[in-house]
Amino acid sequence: MKRIFFLGLAANFPKDEILAHTFAMGRKEDLADLKSFLLKKYGGERAILAKNGRSALALALKAYFEPGDAIIVNGFTCYAVYEAVKAAELKPVFADISLDDLNFNTETIKKALSKGAEKPDSRVKGIIIQNTLGNPINVEEIEAFAKEHDLIIIEDLAHCAGVKYADGREAGTVGAAAVLSFGKEKSIDTISGGAVVLRHPYKNTIKAPSKHPKLSDHLRARFYPCFGSLCRKLTYIHLGGALMKFLTAIHWVEKSADNKLDLGRRPSKFEAKRALMQIKSLSRTGEKPLRTFYLVNDRTKLLAKLKGAGYYFDGFWYEKPVSPVRYYKKVHFPEKDCPNAVFAAEHIINLPRYYRKKNLEPAIKIIEKNLEDKA
Ligand SMILES: *Cc1c(COP(=O)(O)O)cnc(C)c1O
């Protein structure tokens, strides 16, 4: 029987991890332990646990900015980031990316700011560093720019927990706040949950989420790895896909992008326990990027070829400059000013780090052949 490789559907949970996740018992102390570990690791004043990464990011933004402030955002990102910016009542200024690392740089930031020149850009108060797919940004350059323009740096670690910058510092130890997501396929994956460490003096009107998670959210987080595994086991892709669609339709599974922002709820205790375990072993996983990316020629054709070889992609990072596509229109993304982001969204393919090299080799060969054809 031909092996099928699902790049998604909780494929980063091997069998023993599924069991450990599904039956993990959380205690109240796990929440406290996670917070104190984060405080020690990132050197902060206060750690807050949240329902997901976007809620954590919104709390970080509220701690440092005033409604109406503008903030520089990577022009190739996830709708979750946009949602957090909006929840904090800030205005996003999207800066185009470099095709080398999918991050903005000082050149593209300056360009984005000058585009807003007819409107006064003096209200730009901050910058969110994202280290897209785990590719570290040139942090010294960004830091110098931020200092010069009096911008507060927020580090979004959803893709890059454990990643080191060129100067040896770890992501999350540079900015005013380090924001973590524990969502599906992020650097730390407990299906949902998030945290923020406030490292610099902040507004102390910020209230930590204290309500229990909803039972439905708790159950979805518990069982998603089981459901994902079941769908992957249904070797015939259309059957696995159909089951996943059905589970989503009856709300037993929630698409990552639909995970609601909620500033009142904390994560489940078992998620805190699992997140702490994963953060403790980050030095091992943080060395590889979260996903290796390629900018390919005729992606639709290439995807069909990869499917023929048994590689089934469950969605993209990212299919639009702000993904997923079903939310893209809401963003009013400045496509004209971000040509690289538009190009990347049309040409990117990326492979997650959780597969062994041996298992990905046939896919990499197919992709490399495509890149040669282009050249
Ligand atoms: C996924 C993601 C987040 C937060 O995600 P949640 O689903 O809310 O946990 C934040 N930033 C980036 C860049 C992301 O990809």
Side-chain angles (χ1 to χ4, degrees):
M1 193 176 71
K2 192 163 85 177
R3 275 296 297 274
I4 291 181
F5 295 96
F6 286 86
L7 304 154
L9 300 183
N12 53 340
F13 280 76
K15 217 182 291 156
D16 53 330
E17 284 295 308
I18 296 177
L19 289 178
H21 177 95
T22 310
F23 296 107
M25 296 287 287
R27 303 160 311 150
K28 213 167 169 188
E29 297 87 83
D30 292 314
L31 299 168
D33 290 351
L34 174 58
K35 280 196 286 192
S36 50
F37 186 85
L38 289 174
L39 278 178
K40 242 196 283 162
K41 180 171 173 64
Y42 293 109
E45 304 214 346
R46 187 178 170 196
I48 302 174
L49 304 183
K51 184 192 175 216
N52 47 26
R54 70 200 73 184
S55 306
L57 180 56
L59 289 169
L61 297 175
K62 279 170 171 284
Y64 293 102
F65 304 100
E66 297 295 335
D69 288 349
I71 187 155
I72 299 161
V73 177
N74 203 64
F76 190 65
T77 194
C78 168
Y79 185 72
V81 172
Y82 178 80
E83 240 186 312
V85 167
K86 284 289 163 181
E89 297 172 69
L90 307 183
K91 284 200 321 218
V93 177
F94 289 104
D96 201 11
I97 54 169
S98 150
L99 292 177
D100 297 329
D101 63 2
L102 311 178
N103 294 316
F104 52 44
N105 52 48
T106 50
E107 287 310 306
T108 62
I109 292 171
K110 280 181 201 154
K111 216 173 95 193
L113 293 179
S114 73
K115 291 285 175 197
E118 59 272 25
K119 300 161 247 157
D121 65 350
S122 59
R123 289 193 316 177
V124 176
K125 293 284 170 61
I127 181 163
I128 302 174
I129 296 182
Q130 148 183 312
N131 301 312
T132 315
L133 307 186
N135 301 307
I137 201 164
N138 182 343
V139 79
E140 291 179 65
E141 183 189 280
I142 297 290
E143 235 181 344
F145 183 87
K147 200 163 179 194
E148 183 188 336
H149 296 271
D150 219 0
L151 302 175
I152 296 171
I153 295 177
I154 306 291
E155 289 176 280
D156 175 357
L157 307 185
H159 296 191
C160 61
V163 163
K164 294 250 168 66
Y165 295 116
D167 64 4
R169 283 180 296 172
E170 186 171 332
T173 63
V174 172
V179 180
L180 293 131
S181 162
F182 310 144
K184 291 172 193 160
E185 302 217 39
K186 306 293 166 136
S187 315
I188 296 158
D189 181 349
T190 68
I191 309 305
S192 70
V196 52
V197 181
L198 303 174
R199 303 181 64 249
H200 295 174
Y202 55 93
K203 281 190 260 167
N204 50 21
T205 48
I206 295 301
K207 271 216 314 250
S210 56
K211 277 193 274 183
H212 291 246
K214 280 191 196 160
L215 181 63
S216 56
D217 287 327
H218 176 93
L219 293 175
R220 273 195 284 263
R222 277 260 183 221
F223 290 105
Y224 179 70
C226 292
F227 290 149
S229 161
L230 182 63
C231 291
R232 293 198 309 278
K233 289 253 160 57
L234 293 174
T235 314
Y236 300 103
I237 286 166
H238 53 278
L239 222 52
L243 177 59
M244 191 40 84
K245 257 200 194 128
F246 173 70
L247 291 170
T248 309
I250 61 172
H251 301 287
W252 286 25
V253 167
E254 191 174 54
K255 292 209 155 115
S256 302
D258 297 333
N259 196 320
K260 294 265 175 319
L261 187 142
D262 187 334
L263 301 183
R265 293 188 191 269
R266 58 161 177 77
S268 293
K269 287 175 275 192
F270 90 96
E271 289 177 313
K273 180 179 181 172
R274 301 281 301 158
L276 180 55
M277 273 179 42
Q278 291 181 32
I279 292 170
K280 284 182 175 167
S281 59
L282 267 182
S283 51
R284 201 158 35 79
T285 50
E287 282 171 14
K288 277 206 246 169
L290 188 63
R291 306 179 74 94
T292 308
F293 77 92
Y294 306 86
L295 297 170
V296 303
N297 203 12
D298 197 345
R299 185 171 60 191
T300 315
K301 228 163 89 188
L302 179 62
L303 283 175
K305 237 189 217 157
L306 285 167
K307 207 165 175 173
Y311 294 91
Y312 174 72
F313 285 76
D314 173 44
F316 272 105
W317 302 47
Y318 293 113
E319 60 191 9
K320 284 281 176 194
V322 181
S323 275
V325 64
R326 64 186 184 285
Y327 290 125
Y328 182 57
K329 273 229 172 76
K330 290 193 189 189
V331 177
H332 302 290
F333 186 79
E335 288 194 352
K336 266 202 332 282
D337 304 330
C338 300
N340 283 350
V342 172
F343 180 89
E346 282 168 7
H347 294 270
I348 199 164
I349 270 194
N350 42 73
L351 303 171
R353 71 171 163 214
Y354 51 76
Y355 278 110
R356 292 212 196 125
K357 198 163 167 241
K358 194 182 79 191
N359 293 337
L360 289 180
E361 236 154 44
I364 294 172
K365 271 209 184 106
I366 293 171
I367 295 170
E368 278 172 354
K369 173 84 177 33
N370 169 291
L371 294 176
E372 278 166 27
D373 290 350
K374 185 165 71 173

